[in-house]
Amino acid sequence: MVDFIQRLINILGASAVMTDTHETKPYLTDWRGIFQGIALAVVFPKTSAEVQMVVRLCIEHAIAIIPQGGNTNLTGSSTPEPIGQQIVLSLKRLNQIRSVDLENQTMTVEAGCILQHIQEKASDSGFLFPLSLAAEGSCTIGGNLATNAGGINVLRYGNMRDLCLGIEAVTATGDILHSLRGLRKDNTGYDLRNLLIGSEGTLGIITAAVIKLYPAPINRCAALIAVNDYSIMVNLLQELQRKAANELCAFEMMSRASLDLTVQHFPQFANPIFKQSSHTLLIELAEFSTESRSSQILEDVLGKALESEQIEDVLVSTSLTQVKQFWGVREHITLAQAKEVANIKFDISFEISRIGDFITHTCDLLCKSYPGIRIINFGHFGDGNLHFNMCPPIGSDKSFLKTNEAEIHRIVYEQIEKYQGSISAEHGIGQLKRNDLEHHRGPTAYKMMKQIKHALDPQNILNPHKVLL
Ligand SMILES: Cc1cc2nc3c(=O)[nH]c(=O)nc-3n(C[C@H](O)[C@H](O)[C@H](O)COP(=O)(O)OP(=O)(O)OC[C@H]3O[C@@H](n4cnc5c(N)ncnc54)[C@H](O)[C@@H]3O)c2cc1C
């Protein structure tokens, strides 16, 4: 292996090859601290050509490669396994914004660009890059593409897949796929870009992408709504979509337990409205022209709902500072959960009409079997995505979840199947859910996925045993 490491150094320079176990530790553990792995080195290429040379060297030595961006995923997908010979290939230093094309409304960015930097660059150019999630200060666009990230604006702008026009990637056989074009129509054979998006680093290493920019809103308006009934949430969503389809950006739901936990750890976000109902909705409308009537629509729709006693209370923002304050609580739920002794997380999705029944029924089953269990349920209600998580009853320690995790898992997965949902809405499969994928997707879909993996990565060199067993 000395020869292999020396050749890595010859390609990248000594400062881009990290082997000291103290230094490599953060790259070998996942964000939640569940998975730990080993690696011969963590390497930091600065160009696509360097990525290609590293891949070719790894092919020659039969060393696996674990691509890594900001390492913020929640499924262990960028953590190497504790056995085998592999390197972590960090894209962090491949982080240039190559160009901004204002006429085509696109930006060409390298994979290691931090999402927040891309948002800021778009904003400086008078545009919006709409992907937004709580990890945006540290996740990278390459990781966003590899996980097909979702976040809070999917309702209006779609997932990362919908925000990407072109891609550049190093393949598992050491070639470079040059497809960095900003075309909005291109039906020329199989869609390789979309095959790589969401493949979690198992089919290619994304080195750059052409992403879409949108007109920036001139104003934002948000509301917190106290509500007790899921069917009313669906009605409100439909009503707002009818009246302000193009302006409705976010429709988020937070359960009382998720808010209580967040306020307990981050008291600065406390708001009396949280105490008035079993759930609070956070919705946002954006205004794109001075003629926009979105705040008026919001007030009309919510005023009527209040009058007819469908909702308990409502608080409409009066300034951008207040909009940000409203979002603070939503963005801190995951961080509040991370402060608990232990938790189980389900990132799941349903057709919107089935969400209410799933939640009611599954919460019932869990609360009967595990009195005191705290169900931290929140998510992107507008696009059917729930973060349906659990913390042990107050006073219980880590062992509660350890003892009961398998059975809780079985109960929740059975209900997901019953209500025809998905076991992963936006976080992917990684290591966390790889044992469940075949059953969930069925034998034909799973076999096709394995065939694709084998065709594109015959040596199983890219992120082996992630997604697929
Ligand atoms: C507080 C918090 C909130 C979050 N909220 C959301 C949310 O709302 N929506 C959402 O979708 N996710 C969310 N996530 C999950 C996470 O932020 C996303 O999955 C993000 O897209 C991962 O980006 P990353 O750069 O950190 O990738 P990493 O975690 O480093 O990697 C993720 C996967 O992508 C692969 N990969 C990384 N870079 C490349 C590349 N250049 N080429 C090929 N493969 C690559 C890795 O091998 C791995 O399989 C959240 C995470 C946290 C911690």
Side-chain angles (χ1 to χ4, degrees):
M1 277 315 123
V2 178
D3 175 46
F4 172 71
I5 300 289
Q6 187 52 52
R7 290 182 68 189
L8 280 176
I9 293 172
N10 293 347
I11 294 169
L12 302 172
S15 64
V17 179
M18 188 189 274
T19 51
D20 177 89
T21 48
H22 187 66
E23 285 178 347
T24 56
K25 203 171 170 205
Y27 299 89
L28 308 181
T29 313
D30 70 308
W31 190 85
R32 292 175 64 195
I34 298 177
F35 300 99
Q36 309 247 303
I38 53 167
L40 298 168
V42 181
V43 301
F44 300 89
K46 284 198 205 72
T47 63
S48 309
E50 284 186 356
V51 175
Q52 182 183 35
M53 285 189 270
V54 171
V55 171
R56 288 184 170 170
L57 181 68
C58 287
I59 293 171
E60 198 185 316
H61 286 260
I63 305 282
I65 302 165
I66 319 301
Q68 193 176 93
N71 200 18
T72 66
N73 71 87
L74 301 170
T75 62
S77 57
S78 65
T79 308
E81 298 212 80
I83 47 161
Q85 292 206 310
Q86 58 240 328
I87 59 164
V88 170
L89 188 148
S90 169
L91 280 302
K92 267 186 180 170
R93 294 191 196 164
L94 189 66
N95 61 3
Q96 299 301 305
I97 291 181
R98 289 191 191 165
S99 64
V100 183
D101 180 343
L102 295 181
E103 285 177 338
N104 200 34
Q105 295 193 20
T106 58
M107 203 191 270
T108 303
V109 294
E110 291 184 343
C113 288
I114 300 288
L115 174 56
Q116 194 177 331
H117 298 167
I118 291 175
Q119 295 165 342
E120 285 163 3
K121 180 72 181 179
S123 171
D124 292 347
S125 312
F127 284 91
L128 170 79
F129 180 63
L131 185 72
S132 179
L133 43 114
E136 63 199 21
S138 39
C139 65
T140 63
I141 197 75
N144 301 147
L145 285 157
T147 56
N148 186 28
I152 57 175
N153 288 327
V154 171
L155 199 55
R156 185 172 197 277
Y157 298 98
N159 291 305
M160 187 62 230
R161 191 184 293 291
D162 303 299
L163 303 174
C164 176
L165 294 170
I167 220 156
E168 177 190 272
V170 176
T171 69
T173 48
D175 300 310
I176 299 190
L177 172 71
H178 293 284
S179 202
L180 270 187
R181 297 191 300 172
L183 302 178
R184 292 178 194 253
K185 282 192 160 183
D186 183 16
N187 280 347
T188 48
Y190 300 136
D191 191 337
L192 302 175
R193 169 194 51 160
N194 268 324
L195 200 53
L196 289 172
I197 296 174
S199 68
E200 301 184 39
T202 62
L203 299 181
I205 302 175
I206 297 162
T207 47
V210 180
I211 55 173
K212 288 186 198 169
L213 301 178
Y214 287 83
I218 55 170
N219 196 14
R220 294 163 63 192
C221 179
L224 290 172
I225 307 161
V227 56
N228 286 316
D229 192 310
Y230 299 111
S231 58
I232 290 171
M233 297 182 203
V234 175
N235 290 345
L236 274 180
L237 174 64
Q238 282 184 349
E239 188 67 0
L240 285 166
Q241 281 178 320
R242 254 196 300 274
K243 301 219 160 113
N246 282 331
E247 293 168 337
L248 183 64
C249 297
F251 193 101
E252 300 283 307
M253 181 203 72
M254 303 169 283
S255 69
R256 178 79 171 270
S258 68
L259 290 166
D260 287 348
L261 184 76
T262 309
V263 171
Q264 178 194 325
H265 291 292
F266 302 99
Q268 68 270 33
F269 296 117
N271 193 314
I273 198 168
F274 300 155
K275 298 275 178 213
Q276 297 187 33
S277 54
S278 62
H279 291 79
T280 302
L281 295 175
L282 167 54
I283 60 177
E284 181 173 323
L285 274 74
E287 295 181 348
F288 295 92
S289 78
T290 45
E291 288 92 56
S292 171
R293 293 178 49 250
S294 63
S295 41
Q296 189 58 49
I297 293 170
L298 202 55
E299 279 177 29
D300 287 351
V301 172
L302 299 180
K304 270 192 199 133
L306 199 57
E307 248 170 54
S308 57
E309 297 182 354
Q310 293 186 65
I311 59 178
E312 305 307 307
D313 201 358
V314 59
L315 188 60
V316 178
S317 65
T318 52
S319 65
L320 193 56
T321 313
Q322 204 176 14
V323 173
K324 289 182 181 159
Q325 171 79 10
F326 288 0
W327 277 107
V329 73
R330 169 64 186 84
E331 283 162 357
H332 279 73
I333 301 176
T334 306
L335 303 174
Q337 254 206 291
K339 288 180 181 283
E340 288 292 300
V341 285
N343 46 66
I344 307 181
K345 294 186 170 218
F346 296 93
D347 160 46
I348 55 186
S349 63
F350 297 92
E351 290 168 12
I352 200 134
S353 51
R354 295 179 198 254
I355 289 188
D357 287 344
F358 166 82
I359 298 176
T360 310
H361 199 139
T362 313
C363 286
D364 253 20
L365 290 172
L366 290 170
C367 292
K368 271 186 198 132
S369 302
Y370 307 101
I373 192 168
R374 287 172 293 157
I375 299 174
I376 309 300
N377 180 25
F378 63 100
H380 316 298
F381 191 91
D383 56 53
N385 182 183
L386 293 180
H387 297 309
F388 192 72
N389 303 339
M390 274 118 242
C391 287
I394 291 178
S396 303
D397 60 15
K398 262 187 183 173
S399 63
F400 172 87
L401 288 188
K402 233 182 179 161
T403 316
N404 300 307
E405 182 159 8
E407 180 57 12
I408 291 174
H409 199 269
R410 191 196 62 73
I411 293 173
V412 176
Y413 270 39
E414 207 172 89
Q415 297 309 308
I416 295 173
E417 204 166 316
K418 179 173 164 193
Y419 291 101
Q420 295 171 25
S422 166
I423 60 167
S424 182
E426 59 178 13
H427 293 164
I429 299 297
Q431 302 188 53
L432 189 71
K433 298 179 186 171
R434 63 186 169 191
N435 293 326
D436 304 310
L437 187 64
E438 184 170 10
H439 175 77
H440 180 68
R441 290 293 302 269
T444 307
Y446 194 76
K447 187 169 146 200
M448 287 172 77
M449 287 191 228
K450 286 212 119 174
Q451 285 167 335
I452 291 169
K453 169 72 175 170
H454 186 69
L456 296 186
D457 182 9
Q459 263 185 269
N460 198 17
I461 213 155
L462 282 184
N463 220 359
H465 315 301
K466 307 289 170 49
V467 184
L468 305 170
L469 286 170

